[in-house]
Amino acid sequence: TPATEKNRITEDAVLAALSKVMDPELNKDLVTMNMIRNVRVQGSTVSFNLMLTTMACPLKKELEAGAMNAVMAIPGGKAVVVETGADVPKARVLPQKAAIPGVKNTIAVASGKGGVGKSTVAVNLALALAKTGAKVGLLDADVYGPSLPLMMGVHEKPMATANEKLVPIENYGLKLMSVGFMLDEETPLIWRGPLVMQLIKQFLTGVLWGELDYLVIDLPPGTGDVQLTLVQTIPVTGVVIVATPQDIALIDARRAIKMFNEVKVPIIGIIENMSYFVCPHCNEKSEIFSKGGGEKTSERYNVPLLGKIPIDMSIREGGDTGRPIVDSQPDSAHAKAFSDIACKTAARISVIDLG
């Protein structure tokens, strides 16, 4: 009937309504961001796909509700069905650098000094990203002190293809590569800078990483040849800086922030590791290594504080036994801290790529 036809909702009307729903992280509307796909109007039912930039999106429920309410506000009786998925954006590539084939984003994990738990953070961050449904690789680029074999419980050598490409070893749902896979645990790597730089290039471009949403790269501590080779060889989406709360560690973290700023690599944020200790007997929280350092550095250099990881025996034991805490105790408060950091990291990458 004419009345029914008058109240019929069109696909254009649905898109117009959704074009007024903003993603607060990216400050753009859902239609402009190509986050609305496959709009269908069947009788009194409207359905569409909401494609987030990551399944770890902290605003998932807010965006779903906003999209549904916008369509429900269109005049005419209807039911609204929202199917939510994720399509991780690929980082922008500068012309002078060649991206790693199949790898959408590279996340470097760095620290200004050793002993801050950088590798522990890199391993658990990679696992937490994978648990969101993303395809994740983990490259141990700490050539002088590779820790991936121990922390991931891998003690085998990678295979090579006929054209001499290395095949990553897979464990816990991650694709893994480390110089430690090629060396005996007791054998030190005694190489000068040029050979180390060649090795890093081989790991970046001579490994069959396949299709990855994120390649997490555990860098050596400091600001030396490996870091510079990395940023000169491939387009690094962003870097996460790991520090502990005390002033001396944060001075080193600031040096790392300045270095990556100078080579035009976006700082995703700071992770404050060994931030506090919770007594297992009385549950009292003790800030052993001072407090507030992460916040001060975050504010001074205008980079987000992604989260704080406590000191805990189970985190250390997980690294020593090849069972990272995100996998071995996924419901623990410590694993949740890494999961929250992974969500914020993925969201920040969306802003870097698209904002």
Side-chain angles (χ1 to χ4, degrees):
T1 66
T4 304
E5 190 64 30
K6 183 180 178 182
N7 291 330
R8 183 177 177 275
I9 300 169
T10 65
E11 292 178 10
D12 287 344
V14 173
L15 288 171
L18 291 170
S19 70
K20 294 178 173 59
V21 180
M22 302 294 289
D23 183 324
E25 282 276 359
L26 305 173
N27 200 31
K28 293 181 182 178
D29 71 84
L30 301 185
V31 176
T32 299
M33 292 292 302
N34 194 31
M35 293 167 74
I36 303 299
R37 316 269 179 91
N38 199 21
V39 176
R40 304 174 299 283
V41 180
Q42 296 173 307
S44 60
T45 300
V46 177
S47 59
F48 56 89
N49 298 98
L50 172 62
M51 299 301 291
L52 305 173
T53 52
T54 165
M55 283 305 288
C57 178
L59 300 170
K60 178 183 175 186
K61 290 182 180 177
E62 182 180 331
L63 292 176
E64 285 176 337
M68 182 169 285
N69 291 338
V71 178
M72 289 293 290
I74 302 172
K78 67 203 138 304
V80 180
V81 178
V82 183
E83 297 175 16
T84 306
D87 186 6
V88 176
K90 184 175 181 178
R92 290 191 293 263
V93 177
L94 299 174
Q96 66 269 31
K97 298 177 187 175
I100 303 171
V103 176
K104 289 184 176 180
N105 297 282
T106 50
I107 304 170
V109 180
S111 65
K113 60 173 285 185
V116 298
K118 172 184 51 58
S119 295
T120 297
V121 169
V123 164
N124 284 287
L125 172 61
L127 283 167
L129 285 167
K131 285 186 179 293
T132 70
K135 296 174 183 174
V136 183
L138 177 57
L139 169 60
D140 182 1
D142 191 349
V143 293
Y144 294 114
S147 54
L148 197 60
L150 176 66
M151 299 187 76
M152 294 295 286
V154 175
H155 303 282
E156 58 185 280
K157 287 182 168 57
M159 304 288 289
T161 64
N163 61 350
E164 298 185 345
K165 289 267 188 179
L166 290 171
V167 180
I169 294 170
E170 297 194 32
N171 202 17
Y172 297 117
L174 301 179
K175 291 185 177 180
L176 310 170
M177 186 54 64
S178 170
V179 69
F181 296 155
M182 286 81 154
L183 300 172
D184 295 330
E185 289 184 7
E186 306 297 322
T187 305
L189 184 69
I190 307 172
W191 282 3
R192 292 187 182 276
L195 284 176
V196 170
M197 289 187 277
Q198 285 180 26
L199 177 64
I200 294 301
K201 288 180 180 178
Q202 172 71 16
F203 277 162
L204 294 171
T205 59
V207 174
L208 284 175
W209 289 109
E211 298 294 321
L212 295 180
D213 294 311
Y214 306 103
L215 175 61
V216 178
I217 304 173
D218 181 15
L219 291 173
T223 53
D225 285 344
V226 174
Q227 291 84 347
L228 292 173
T229 300
L230 175 74
V231 300
Q232 289 166 359
T233 304
I234 63 163
V236 179
T237 309
V239 61
V240 170
I241 308 288
V242 181
T244 51
Q246 66 267 46
D247 288 341
I248 190 68
L250 286 162
I251 288 169
D252 293 302
R254 291 163 194 160
R255 288 196 191 102
I257 289 169
K258 285 184 175 180
M259 187 208 83
F260 284 105
N261 280 336
E262 284 179 15
V263 295
K264 303 294 190 291
V265 173
I267 309 291
I268 295 169
I270 302 169
I271 297 173
E272 191 176 274
N273 195 30
M274 297 185 259
S275 185
Y276 55 89
F277 173 73
V278 178
C279 176
H281 305 294
C282 66
N283 288 323
E284 184 176 335
K285 186 175 176 180
S286 300
E287 277 139 339
I288 299 169
F289 295 132
S290 183
K291 63 181 289 187
E295 285 89 349
K296 289 175 189 172
T297 304
S298 169
E299 290 168 10
R300 179 172 175 180
Y301 291 95
N302 193 30
V303 295
L305 180 61
L306 297 172
K308 299 183 176 186
I309 306 296
I311 298 171
D312 192 85
M313 291 285 286
S314 55
I315 297 177
R316 192 268 303 161
E317 288 167 355
D320 288 349
T321 59
R323 290 289 311 277
I325 196 164
V326 166
D327 183 84
S328 63
Q329 298 181 35
D331 298 323
S332 67
H334 313 102
K336 187 179 184 304
F338 283 114
S339 296
D340 289 346
I341 286 169
C343 288
K344 290 177 182 175
T345 299
R348 279 279 295 158
I349 285 173
S350 299
V351 176
I352 289 168
D353 289 340
L354 304 168

